[in-house]
């Protein structure tokens, strides 16, 4: 990891307008509500949070697959949030995505060789012979059998399909790989194979990962730094081991406390903090701190005054009036 | 003399006749569930977890299925009972919770009506009594304002709330046994924690036993007293939770546990199990795990039987000395 900032986002907001089923009037749902973060070259930034908290939307805004409503995103020093589609095109190849569902993201009617070759052909990587050699090289890199190039996605297992998705993402030597729940659909033993592969590839090609998952164990395992999202906001950000061992935000604290643990050592188990209620809807955001209705330590202040994400120590930020472990 | 088991499964075999040949979904599963015991069944996708428990409940509705073995519920053989004979047991003495709450709920009726119907089918309650009990049950499973919510439809509830409704239904007739198939897999961790907590609380107050199916070793470790690890339709290892998690004996269990990324500490590299899951149409005659096992020996072409000391059993040919040597080399 270097100190070079590969991507920098400032106050990114993304609103969707949705129509309520009952009354038919448009609602504004703020899926991403003012996110600022930096991703350094060569690191893995993990994003965790529960379903609907805005992880995928944030990721799509960061690579400008979705236009941001406001805020700015810089990639390798260029403000990509200002560029037109056309202006973005040359940068696209440097930012690649790997998705959760290897089944849905691969065209069932094309051979896996063609699927991996597609970005190379679109970007005129070279002659057909050069492209074919590159595809074989990519297959070897991700641990797939070169003899299976002419087979179709359905002939592969979930883990193998995820390798195909990774091979395609790597085809054009990207600098940033955004992986949105890349292992969530896989059995734990296959998940471990894919995570180990991603770690090897990162070392080999000095890749930068934005790694999104709801599995807190997976995120700790892969990340150098972690951001915790709640209702479209980053509520805590810090170095992975730091954040997991000494969470500051009451939400992070509760989240970590309820992950089922194997309990195979004599280390005491974290005391479980069971939150009440459900995650609120982003079109109906609570006043003050978005987390206050479910927060075990909330006071009246929390219902009226919104806490900003404050850097408490270098590299360690939290958005809470009463952070834990802050001393 | 320990209490006689609530549920006793002996040598359960479930085979589907398919175009590609016989598919052995479950092959020789045996285990007991004691009163108030929580048994966890774990294993990767396709290992036969759901099919085994659906067979116990007589819910495998497939003309091409062949089910053999014995399933005793409170001492009575229930395998092969007709739908009519199973009726008072299913949803009565045995409650069920599925991964997708909508499997158990109908979108067109209010949740209160659905719970009340279940109650009336299994007891002599009047409509009014059933409705009052439904409201009580909704309150017990932590639905706020149950008197108001009882007349709502399932789509007006969040995923976690719907699962609570299903739990209320499963508990409506004070079941002796609760069978839960991946009850929290579709839920977020904070909701999962609420639901698992609720299940344990209710199990305690209703004195019921639970069989919980999951692929999450962490859920097993926190919920179960006894663990059944399945591989390719066969039990690979069975034992008390603490023994299986802290002192696993089967090479598949070693792989399974080593592959889990932990929240409580970071492991540099995850253990992986080489290769892919076996095809259920093509399970080896000998040890089902042999193709992926790094300790495979000549004898592994013969099927290892479940054996062990006390209640900790496993199906593997490795001797105790071999396992000790292997495990002491494995660094954590
Ligand atoms: N195209 C869209 N139109 C309207 N609302 C949307 C759209 N995409 C996302 N949302 C809403 O934005 C919020 C954030 O969604 P997002 O998919 O980013 O969450 P997520 O954290 O990725 O969740 P998950 O873990 O389930 O993938 C949700 O409330 C979602 O319903
Ligand atoms: N009706 C059926 N006909 C043919 N094969 C079936 C049928 N139902 C299940 N199977 C097969 O039986 C095997 C065991 O399936 P089962 O659903 O029990 O797996 P599982 O362990 O519950 O997996 P998961 O974790 O994915 O739920 C699988 O190979 C499955 O494809
Ligand atoms: S019986 Fe043989 S192949 Fe099977 S798990 Fe044991 S050592 Fe491995
Ligand atoms: Mg998402
Ligand atoms: Mg299943």
């Amino acid at each position: 990891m270097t100190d070079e900032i590969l991507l920098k986002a400032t106050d990114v907001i993304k609103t969707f307008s949705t129509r309520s089923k009952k009354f038919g009037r448009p609602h504004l749902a703020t899926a991403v509500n003012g996110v600022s973060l930096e991703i350094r070259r060569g690191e893995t930034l993990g994003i965790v949070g529960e379903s609907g908290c805005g992880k995928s939307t944030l990721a799509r805004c960061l690579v400008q697959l979705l236009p941001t409503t406001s805020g700015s995103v810089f990639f390798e020093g260029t403000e990509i949030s200002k560029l037109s589609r056309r202006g973005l095109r040359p940068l696209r190849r440097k930012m690649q995505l790997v998705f959760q569902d290897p089944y849905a993201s691969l065209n069932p009617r094309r051979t896996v060789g063609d699927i991996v070759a597609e970005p190379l052909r679109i970007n005129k990587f070279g002659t057909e012979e050069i492209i074919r050699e590159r595809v074989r090289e990519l297959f070897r890199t991700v641990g797939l059998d070169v003899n299976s190039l002419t087979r179709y996605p359905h002939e592969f297992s979930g883990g193998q399909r995820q390798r195909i998705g990774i091979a395609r993402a790597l085809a054009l030597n990207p600098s940033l790989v955004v992986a949105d729940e890349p292992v969530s659909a896989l059995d734990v033993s296959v998940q471990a194979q894919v995570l180990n592969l991603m770690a090897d590839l990162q070392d080999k090609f000095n890749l930068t990962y934005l790694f999104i998952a709801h599995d807190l164990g997976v995120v700790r395992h892969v990340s150098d730094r972690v951001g915790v999202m709640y209702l479209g906001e980053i509520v805590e950000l810090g170095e992975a081991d730091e954040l997991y061992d000494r969470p500051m935000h009451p939400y992070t604290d509760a989240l970590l406390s309820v992950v089922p643990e194997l309990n195979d050592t004599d280390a005491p188990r974290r005391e479980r903090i069971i939150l009440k209620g459900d995650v609120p809807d982003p079109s109906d955001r609570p006043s003050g701190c978005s987390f206050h209705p479910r927060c075990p330590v909330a006071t009246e202040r929390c219902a009226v005054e919104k806490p900003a994400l404050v850097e408490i120590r270098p590299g360690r930020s939290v958005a809470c009036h009463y952070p834990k472990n802050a001393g | 003399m320990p209490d006689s088991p609530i549920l006793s499964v002996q040598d359960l075999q479930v085979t589907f006749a398919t175009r590609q040949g016989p598919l052995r979904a479950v092959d020789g599963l045996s285990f007991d569930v004691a009163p108030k015991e929580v048994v966890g069944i774990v294993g990767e996708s396709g290992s036969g977890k759901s099919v085994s428990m659906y067979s116990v409940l007589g819910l495998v509705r497939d003309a091409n299925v062949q089910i053999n073995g014995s399933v005793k519920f409170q001492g009575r053989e229930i395998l092969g009972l007709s739908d009519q004979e199973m009726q008072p047991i299913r949803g009565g003495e045995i409650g069920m919770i599925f991964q997708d709450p909508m499997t158990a709920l109908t979108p067109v009726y209010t949740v209160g009506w659905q719970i009340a119907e279940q109650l009336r089918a299994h007891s002599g309650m009047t409509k009014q009594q059933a409705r009052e009990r439904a409201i009580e049950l909704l309150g017990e499973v932590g639905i706020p304002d149950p008197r108001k919510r009882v007349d709502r439809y399932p789509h007006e509830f969040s995923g976690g709330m719907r699962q609570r409704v299903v739990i209320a239904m499963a508990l409506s007739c004070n079941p002796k046994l609760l069978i839960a198939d991946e009850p929290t897999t579709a839920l977020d961790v904070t909701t999962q924690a609420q639901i698992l907590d609720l299940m344990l609380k209710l199990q305690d107050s209703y004195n019921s036993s639970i069989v919980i199916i999951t692929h999450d070793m962490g859920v097993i470790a926190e919920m179960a007293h006894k663990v059944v690890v399945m591989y390719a339709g066969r039990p690979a290892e069975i034992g008390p939770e603490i023994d299986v998690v802290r002192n696993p004996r089967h090479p598949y269990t070693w792989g399974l546990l080593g592959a889990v990324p932990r929240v409580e500490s970071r492991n540099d590299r995850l253990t992986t199990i080489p290769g892919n899951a076996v095809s259920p149409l093509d399970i080896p005659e000998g040890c089902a795990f042999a193709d992926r096992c790094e300790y495979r020996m000549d004898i592994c072409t013969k099927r290892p039987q479940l054996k062990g000391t006390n209640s900790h059993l496993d199906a593997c040919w490795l001797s105790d000395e071999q396992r000790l040597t292997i495990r002491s080399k494995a660094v954590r």
Side-chain angles (χ1 to χ4, degrees):
Chain A
M1 204 199 310
T2 59
D3 288 336
E4 182 197 340
I5 307 287
L6 181 67
L7 185 143
K8 181 179 165 72
T10 312
D11 206 16
V12 169
I13 293 180
K14 178 70 195 177
T15 15
F16 291 109
S17 110
T18 51
R19 221 160 266 282
S20 127
K21 273 190 215 121
K22 265 197 196 126
F23 310 109
R25 56 187 154 85
H27 263 283
L28 280 188
T30 308
V32 175
N33 192 29
V35 168
S36 302
L37 53 79
E38 290 174 351
I39 308 177
R40 297 176 201 139
R41 191 183 290 280
E43 80 166 340
T44 299
L45 175 66
I47 303 281
V48 284
E50 295 180 279
S51 183
C53 71
K55 304 180 294 296
S56 300
T57 307
L58 172 65
R60 269 151 227 263
C61 289
L62 293 183
V63 299
Q64 291 293 301
L65 277 179
L66 263 181
T68 45
T69 306
S70 68
S72 64
V73 182
F74 285 84
F75 178 77
E76 291 186 338
T78 311
E79 184 169 2
I80 55 173
S81 47
K82 264 193 182 156
L83 294 180
S84 62
R85 282 180 88 110
R86 195 193 189 134
L88 261 174
R89 202 169 297 150
L91 286 169
R92 280 249 178 268
R93 54 190 292 175
K94 297 191 174 178
M95 307 181 278
Q96 293 292 323
L97 281 96
V98 176
F99 297 98
Q100 165 171 3
D101 190 353
Y103 302 79
S105 60
L106 304 177
N107 184 339
R109 276 181 287 277
R110 311 204 41 200
T111 65
V112 296
D114 277 340
I115 289 172
V116 174
E118 184 181 287
L120 296 164
R121 294 201 175 112
I122 292 175
N123 283 278
K124 306 206 168 52
F125 185 79
T127 63
E128 194 53 26
E129 192 37 52
I130 290 173
I131 288 179
R132 252 183 260 140
E133 184 41 45
R134 173 77 181 143
V135 171
R136 278 195 290 272
E137 182 191 336
L138 287 162
F139 265 56
R140 282 189 290 266
T141 308
V142 300
L144 284 169
D145 183 358
V146 181
N147 296 316
S148 60
L149 281 167
T150 52
R151 291 164 63 190
Y152 290 86
H154 74 263
E155 298 174 61
F156 294 83
S157 69
Q160 288 171 326
R161 282 187 256 219
Q162 203 51 291
R163 288 175 196 264
I164 296 164
I166 292 171
R168 183 177 57 179
L170 294 184
L172 295 163
N173 291 315
S175 38
L176 176 67
V177 173
V178 175
D180 190 353
E181 306 270 9
V183 295
S184 314
L186 306 176
D187 268 316
V188 54
S189 63
V190 183
Q191 167 178 298
Q193 293 173 356
V194 173
L195 291 176
N196 285 348
L197 170 69
M198 287 185 69
D200 294 342
L201 295 173
Q202 179 164 42
D203 289 348
K204 197 163 166 190
F205 302 113
N206 190 31
L207 294 171
T208 306
Y209 289 143
L210 177 65
F211 192 104
I212 296 170
H214 63 268
D215 184 317
L216 288 126
V218 168
V219 168
R220 174 171 203 168
H221 180 74
V222 302
S223 306
D224 297 299
R225 292 188 305 132
V226 173
V228 181
M229 275 186 94
Y230 187 79
L231 210 56
E233 293 160 9
I234 300 246
V235 295
E236 179 159 10
L237 188 67
E239 191 264 317
D241 287 336
E242 256 283 306
L243 185 139
Y244 274 72
D245 291 338
R246 281 175 296 280
M248 289 183 173
H249 198 284
Y251 177 62
T252 315
D253 197 24
L255 208 55
L256 290 172
S257 82
V258 293
V259 177
E261 285 181 13
L262 282 180
N263 240 337
D264 52 355
T265 63
D266 291 322
R269 203 209 177 291
R270 281 179 218 252
E271 184 157 358
R272 297 165 54 131
I273 306 160
I274 298 195
L275 293 175
K276 298 207 168 50
D278 292 328
V279 182
D281 183 340
S283 61
D284 188 19
R285 187 177 295 278
S287 64
C289 172
S290 304
F291 184 57
H292 90 262
R294 302 175 76 198
C295 180
V297 298
T299 65
E300 276 164 36
R301 179 182 175 201
C302 306
V304 286
E305 193 185 324
K306 188 174 179 62
L309 184 68
V310 177
E311 188 161 24
I312 298 220
R313 285 197 285 281
R316 192 84 166 81
S317 311
V318 61
C320 172
H321 296 306
Y322 308 103
K324 263 185 73 172
N325 298 315
Chain B
M1 176 79 193
D3 287 336
S4 57
I6 288 285
L7 183 77
S8 176
V9 176
Q10 286 303 318
D11 198 22
L12 184 67
Q13 314 262 354
V14 186
T15 307
F16 293 100
T18 72
R19 252 182 242 150
Q20 295 99 311
L23 184 152
R24 284 204 181 84
V26 182
D27 185 1
L29 178 64
S30 306
F31 68 95
D32 286 348
V33 185
K36 298 213 263 175
E37 189 176 37
V38 180
V39 175
I41 304 185
V42 68
E44 59 198 354
S45 187
S47 58
K49 305 182 296 294
S50 300
V51 166
S52 62
M53 292 324 287
Y54 284 43
S55 305
V56 163
L57 292 164
L59 282 176
V60 182
R61 306 195 192 283
D62 189 313
N64 298 314
V65 75
Q66 174 71 38
I67 305 179
N68 293 314
S70 154
V71 176
K72 291 211 167 89
F73 177 62
Q74 295 183 309
R76 172 184 175 209
E77 181 64 53
I78 58 167
L79 204 60
L81 289 189
S82 68
D83 248 4
Q84 204 181 359
E85 292 166 309
M86 274 308 277
Q87 182 67 28
I89 300 174
R90 253 191 333 245
E93 288 172 290
I94 305 181
M96 293 162 291
I97 307 172
F98 302 96
Q99 172 172 347
D100 178 3
M102 290 314 285
T103 319
L105 297 170
T106 319
V108 295
Y109 294 111
T110 64
V111 299
W113 188 89
Q114 299 187 50
I115 300 172
E117 269 311 290
Q118 174 108 351
L119 281 164
R120 275 155 48 77
H122 293 277
S123 70
M125 284 189 192
T126 65
K127 263 196 171 144
Q128 194 49 40
Q129 285 170 329
R131 181 184 159 83
E132 280 308 310
R133 178 76 185 122
I135 294 169
E136 228 174 82
L137 280 163
L138 287 176
E140 263 180 63
V141 297
I143 304 239
D145 218 349
R147 197 159 286 280
K148 216 164 85 191
R149 306 261 179 142
V150 69
D151 295 320
R152 300 259 174 96
Y153 292 89
H155 73 261
E156 297 176 76
F157 288 72
S158 68
M161 295 280 231
R162 276 182 214 150
Q163 199 59 294
R164 285 169 192 268
V165 173
V166 173
I167 293 176
M169 270 172 84
L171 289 172
S172 60
C173 303
N174 301 334
K176 288 275 173 343
L177 173 67
L178 204 59
I179 295 181
D181 188 358
E182 309 262 9
T184 58
T185 304
L187 306 173
D188 276 313
V189 298
T190 59
T191 319
Q192 162 168 291
Q194 294 170 346
I195 298 288
L196 295 180
D197 198 48
L198 174 68
M199 283 175 61
L200 287 181
K201 272 199 191 116
L202 295 170
Q203 183 237 358
D204 194 45
S205 53
Y206 284 74
N207 283 324
S208 36
S209 307
I210 297 181
V211 175
I212 181 169
I213 296 176
T214 168
H215 60 266
D216 186 335
M217 267 314 234
V219 170
I220 292 277
E222 297 212 339
M223 295 283 290
H225 304 126
K226 183 198 276 175
V227 186
V228 179
V229 181
M230 289 187 71
Y231 186 79
R234 305 176 186 174
E237 180 160 358
I238 297 182
E241 178 270 322
I242 186 115
D243 297 339
V244 174
V245 171
R246 295 207 182 185
N247 196 8
R249 292 184 52 84
H250 197 285
Y252 175 62
T253 319
W254 296 341
L256 205 56
L257 291 167
V260 180
R262 312 299 184 86
V263 265
E264 64 276 22
S265 63
R266 188 202 292 258
N267 25 9
D268 276 347
R269 207 164 169 82
L270 302 167
T271 317
T272 58
I273 302 172
N276 296 300
V278 285
S279 157
L281 291 161
D282 196 17
I283 298 171
E285 273 304 310
C287 171
F289 189 57
D291 291 346
R292 299 171 75 186
C293 180
E294 54 181 304
Y295 312 109
R296 181 180 52 231
M297 305 164 285
D298 290 343
I299 195 175
C300 302
T301 51
K302 279 185 25 196
R303 180 161 173 183
Q305 294 305 308
L306 257 188
K307 59 182 177 349
T309 41
N310 300 325
S311 46
H312 192 176
L313 315 173
D314 70 278
C316 169
W317 287 112
L318 289 171
S319 66
D320 287 353
E321 298 78 62
Q322 284 171 311
R323 294 180 212 226
L324 262 179
T325 324
I326 295 167
R327 293 303 275 172
S328 59
K329 269 191 237 142
V331 276
R332 255 281 148 106

mmCIF file of all heavy atoms in Angstrom, chain A residues 81-102:
data_model
loop_
_atom_site.group_PDB
_atom_site.id
_atom_site.type_symbol
_atom_site.label_atom_id
_atom_site.label_comp_id
_atom_site.label_asym_id
_atom_site.label_seq_id
_atom_site.Cartn_x
_atom_site.Cartn_y
_atom_site.Cartn_z
ATOM 1 N N SER A 81 -16.769 12.739 -11.674
ATOM 2 C CA SER A 81 -18.185 13.062 -11.505
ATOM 3 C C SER A 81 -18.604 14.212 -12.420
ATOM 4 O O SER A 81 -19.778 14.512 -12.551
ATOM 5 C CB SER A 81 -18.479 13.387 -10.041
ATOM 6 O OG SER A 81 -17.526 14.288 -9.532
ATOM 7 N N LYS A 82 -17.643 14.849 -13.068
ATOM 8 C CA LYS A 82 -17.959 15.951 -13.976
ATOM 9 C C LYS A 82 -17.915 15.521 -15.437
ATOM 10 O O LYS A 82 -18.362 16.257 -16.300
ATOM 11 C CB LYS A 82 -16.907 17.065 -13.793
ATOM 12 C CG LYS A 82 -17.328 18.165 -12.859
ATOM 13 C CD LYS A 82 -16.353 19.311 -13.036
ATOM 14 C CE LYS A 82 -16.657 20.457 -12.109
ATOM 15 N NZ LYS A 82 -15.441 21.249 -11.880
ATOM 16 N N LEU A 83 -17.339 14.342 -15.672
ATOM 17 C CA LEU A 83 -17.115 13.939 -17.060
ATOM 18 C C LEU A 83 -18.400 13.466 -17.730
ATOM 19 O O LEU A 83 -19.308 12.944 -17.087
ATOM 20 C CB LEU A 83 -16.092 12.793 -17.116
ATOM 21 C CG LEU A 83 -14.665 13.129 -16.678
ATOM 22 C CD1 LEU A 83 -13.786 11.895 -16.795
ATOM 23 C CD2 LEU A 83 -14.104 14.266 -17.530
ATOM 24 N N SER A 84 -18.461 13.625 -19.023
ATOM 25 C CA SER A 84 -19.555 13.070 -19.819
ATOM 26 C C SER A 84 -19.295 11.571 -19.992
ATOM 27 O O SER A 84 -18.216 11.080 -19.690
ATOM 28 C CB SER A 84 -19.571 13.726 -21.190
ATOM 29 O OG SER A 84 -18.343 13.431 -21.846
ATOM 30 N N ARG A 85 -20.273 10.860 -20.508
ATOM 31 C CA ARG A 85 -20.103 9.421 -20.767
ATOM 32 C C ARG A 85 -18.873 9.188 -21.602
ATOM 33 O O ARG A 85 -18.104 8.267 -21.391
ATOM 34 C CB ARG A 85 -21.307 8.908 -21.570
ATOM 35 C CG ARG A 85 -22.527 8.688 -20.748
ATOM 36 C CD ARG A 85 -23.598 8.194 -21.685
ATOM 37 N NE ARG A 85 -23.527 6.737 -21.791
ATOM 38 C CZ ARG A 85 -24.449 5.937 -21.281
ATOM 39 N NH1 ARG A 85 -25.486 6.435 -20.668
ATOM 40 N NH2 ARG A 85 -24.332 4.649 -21.395
ATOM 41 N N ARG A 86 -18.734 10.039 -22.607
ATOM 42 C CA ARG A 86 -17.654 9.902 -23.547
ATOM 43 C C ARG A 86 -16.313 10.167 -22.867
ATOM 44 O O ARG A 86 -15.335 9.451 -23.075
ATOM 45 C CB ARG A 86 -17.897 10.905 -24.655
ATOM 46 C CG ARG A 86 -17.063 10.609 -25.830
ATOM 47 C CD ARG A 86 -17.091 11.777 -26.771
ATOM 48 N NE ARG A 86 -16.447 11.320 -27.976
ATOM 49 C CZ ARG A 86 -16.950 11.546 -29.158
ATOM 50 N NH1 ARG A 86 -18.073 12.201 -29.285
ATOM 51 N NH2 ARG A 86 -16.284 11.133 -30.206
ATOM 52 N N GLY A 87 -16.305 11.212 -22.038
ATOM 53 C CA GLY A 87 -15.081 11.555 -21.334
ATOM 54 C C GLY A 87 -14.679 10.454 -20.362
ATOM 55 O O GLY A 87 -13.499 10.257 -20.064
ATOM 56 N N LEU A 88 -15.686 9.715 -19.882
ATOM 57 C CA LEU A 88 -15.421 8.651 -18.913
ATOM 58 C C LEU A 88 -14.816 7.419 -19.566
ATOM 59 O O LEU A 88 -14.083 6.663 -18.941
ATOM 60 C CB LEU A 88 -16.749 8.204 -18.277
ATOM 61 C CG LEU A 88 -17.123 8.755 -16.918
ATOM 62 C CD1 LEU A 88 -18.526 8.301 -16.568
ATOM 63 C CD2 LEU A 88 -16.134 8.270 -15.855
ATOM 64 N N ARG A 89 -15.142 7.231 -20.838
ATOM 65 C CA ARG A 89 -14.830 5.960 -21.501
ATOM 66 C C ARG A 89 -13.380 5.494 -21.307
ATOM 67 O O ARG A 89 -13.160 4.363 -20.918
ATOM 68 C CB ARG A 89 -15.213 6.024 -22.977
ATOM 69 C CG ARG A 89 -15.416 4.637 -23.543
ATOM 70 C CD ARG A 89 -16.057 4.683 -24.912
ATOM 71 N NE ARG A 89 -17.386 5.247 -24.899
ATOM 72 C CZ ARG A 89 -17.927 5.915 -25.928
ATOM 73 N NH1 ARG A 89 -17.227 6.112 -27.024
ATOM 74 N NH2 ARG A 89 -19.153 6.379 -25.848
ATOM 75 N N PRO A 90 -12.397 6.364 -21.552
ATOM 76 C CA PRO A 90 -11.017 5.875 -21.389
ATOM 77 C C PRO A 90 -10.677 5.474 -19.951
ATOM 78 O O PRO A 90 -9.741 4.694 -19.726
ATOM 79 C CB PRO A 90 -10.155 7.056 -21.846
ATOM 80 C CG PRO A 90 -11.057 8.228 -21.979
ATOM 81 C CD PRO A 90 -12.452 7.733 -22.068
ATOM 82 N N LEU A 91 -11.435 5.971 -18.974
ATOM 83 C CA LEU A 91 -11.130 5.641 -17.574
ATOM 84 C C LEU A 91 -11.841 4.366 -17.117
ATOM 85 O O LEU A 91 -11.428 3.728 -16.159
ATOM 86 C CB LEU A 91 -11.543 6.804 -16.669
ATOM 87 C CG LEU A 91 -10.626 8.023 -16.739
ATOM 88 C CD1 LEU A 91 -11.257 9.202 -16.020
ATOM 89 C CD2 LEU A 91 -9.258 7.694 -16.137
ATOM 90 N N ARG A 92 -12.917 4.018 -17.812
ATOM 91 C CA ARG A 92 -13.718 2.859 -17.422
ATOM 92 C C ARG A 92 -12.894 1.589 -17.239
ATOM 93 O O ARG A 92 -13.097 0.836 -16.301
ATOM 94 C CB ARG A 92 -14.777 2.565 -18.492
ATOM 95 C CG ARG A 92 -15.965 3.446 -18.399
ATOM 96 C CD ARG A 92 -17.181 2.638 -17.944
ATOM 97 N NE ARG A 92 -18.324 3.509 -17.809
ATOM 98 C CZ ARG A 92 -18.656 4.113 -16.680
ATOM 99 N NH1 ARG A 92 -17.958 3.892 -15.578
ATOM 100 N NH2 ARG A 92 -19.683 4.922 -16.625
ATOM 101 N N ARG A 93 -11.969 1.372 -18.181
ATOM 102 C CA ARG A 93 -11.192 0.135 -18.135
ATOM 103 C C ARG A 93 -10.357 0.028 -16.863
ATOM 104 O O ARG A 93 -9.949 -1.057 -16.468
ATOM 105 C CB ARG A 93 -10.295 0.039 -19.376
ATOM 106 C CG ARG A 93 -9.424 1.278 -19.542
ATOM 107 C CD ARG A 93 -8.737 1.288 -20.873
ATOM 108 N NE ARG A 93 -7.746 0.222 -20.950
ATOM 109 C CZ ARG A 93 -7.062 -0.046 -22.052
ATOM 110 N NH1 ARG A 93 -7.286 0.616 -23.165
ATOM 111 N NH2 ARG A 93 -6.156 -0.986 -22.046
ATOM 112 N N LYS A 94 -10.100 1.157 -16.245
ATOM 113 C CA LYS A 94 -9.285 1.118 -15.025
ATOM 114 C C LYS A 94 -10.103 0.816 -13.781
ATOM 115 O O LYS A 94 -9.556 0.632 -12.701
ATOM 116 C CB LYS A 94 -8.580 2.463 -14.846
ATOM 117 C CG LYS A 94 -7.614 2.776 -15.950
ATOM 118 C CD LYS A 94 -6.797 3.958 -15.543
ATOM 119 C CE LYS A 94 -5.698 4.211 -16.567
ATOM 120 N NZ LYS A 94 -4.941 5.397 -16.197
ATOM 121 N N MET A 95 -11.440 0.872 -13.933
ATOM 122 C CA MET A 95 -12.318 0.599 -12.783
ATOM 123 C C MET A 95 -13.244 -0.550 -13.178
ATOM 124 O O MET A 95 -14.100 -0.377 -14.041
ATOM 125 C CB MET A 95 -13.172 1.839 -12.462
ATOM 126 C CG MET A 95 -12.376 3.106 -12.281
ATOM 127 S SD MET A 95 -13.444 4.519 -11.888
ATOM 128 C CE MET A 95 -14.021 5.007 -13.496
ATOM 129 N N GLN A 96 -13.054 -1.698 -12.600
ATOM 130 C CA GLN A 96 -13.848 -2.857 -12.999
ATOM 131 C C GLN A 96 -14.686 -3.382 -11.846
ATOM 132 O O GLN A 96 -14.339 -3.181 -10.684
ATOM 133 C CB GLN A 96 -12.938 -3.966 -13.518
ATOM 134 C CG GLN A 96 -12.248 -3.616 -14.820
ATOM 135 C CD GLN A 96 -13.236 -3.528 -15.978
ATOM 136 O OE1 GLN A 96 -14.198 -4.297 -16.060
ATOM 137 N NE2 GLN A 96 -13.010 -2.571 -16.870
ATOM 138 N N LEU A 97 -15.773 -4.065 -12.190
ATOM 139 C CA LEU A 97 -16.655 -4.575 -11.140
ATOM 140 C C LEU A 97 -16.746 -6.094 -11.139
ATOM 141 O O LEU A 97 -16.712 -6.720 -12.188
ATOM 142 C CB LEU A 97 -18.073 -4.020 -11.321
ATOM 143 C CG LEU A 97 -18.256 -2.596 -10.813
ATOM 144 C CD1 LEU A 97 -18.108 -1.627 -11.955
ATOM 145 C CD2 LEU A 97 -19.599 -2.441 -10.147
ATOM 146 N N VAL A 98 -16.878 -6.649 -9.947
ATOM 147 C CA VAL A 98 -17.177 -8.075 -9.792
ATOM 148 C C VAL A 98 -18.454 -8.134 -8.962
ATOM 149 O O VAL A 98 -18.550 -7.486 -7.922
ATOM 150 C CB VAL A 98 -16.035 -8.814 -9.063
ATOM 151 C CG1 VAL A 98 -16.403 -10.267 -8.818
ATOM 152 C CG2 VAL A 98 -14.744 -8.716 -9.853
ATOM 153 N N PHE A 99 -19.431 -8.901 -9.444
ATOM 154 C CA PHE A 99 -20.744 -8.874 -8.788
ATOM 155 C C PHE A 99 -20.974 -10.098 -7.915
ATOM 156 O O PHE A 99 -20.267 -11.096 -7.988
ATOM 157 C CB PHE A 99 -21.849 -8.797 -9.836
ATOM 158 C CG PHE A 99 -21.800 -7.544 -10.638
ATOM 159 C CD1 PHE A 99 -21.200 -7.542 -11.891
ATOM 160 C CD2 PHE A 99 -22.327 -6.369 -10.144
ATOM 161 C CE1 PHE A 99 -21.145 -6.383 -12.637
ATOM 162 C CE2 PHE A 99 -22.277 -5.208 -10.881
ATOM 163 C CZ PHE A 99 -21.679 -5.215 -12.137
ATOM 164 N N GLN A 100 -22.050 -9.998 -7.148
ATOM 165 C CA GLN A 100 -22.425 -11.090 -6.253
ATOM 166 C C GLN A 100 -22.816 -12.348 -6.994
ATOM 167 O O GLN A 100 -22.364 -13.432 -6.694
ATOM 168 C CB GLN A 100 -23.628 -10.669 -5.396
ATOM 169 C CG GLN A 100 -24.282 -11.876 -4.720
ATOM 170 C CD GLN A 100 -25.320 -11.472 -3.711
ATOM 171 O OE1 GLN A 100 -25.608 -10.313 -3.526
ATOM 172 N NE2 GLN A 100 -25.872 -12.450 -3.038
ATOM 173 N N ASP A 101 -23.693 -12.174 -7.962
ATOM 174 C CA ASP A 101 -24.331 -13.344 -8.518
ATOM 175 C C ASP A 101 -23.663 -13.760 -9.809
ATOM 176 O O ASP A 101 -23.947 -13.240 -10.870
ATOM 177 C CB ASP A 101 -25.808 -13.022 -8.781
ATOM 178 C CG ASP A 101 -26.567 -14.275 -9.140
ATOM 179 O OD1 ASP A 101 -25.907 -15.323 -9.311
ATOM 180 O OD2 ASP A 101 -27.789 -14.213 -9.263
ATOM 181 N N PRO A 102 -22.746 -14.723 -9.714
ATOM 182 C CA PRO A 102 -22.050 -15.110 -10.933
ATOM 183 C C PRO A 102 -23.013 -15.682 -11.977
ATOM 184 O O PRO A 102 -22.713 -15.703 -13.151
ATOM 185 C CB PRO A 102 -21.040 -16.159 -10.471
ATOM 186 C CG PRO A 102 -21.399 -16.535 -9.091
ATOM 187 C CD PRO A 102 -22.347 -15.507 -8.556
#
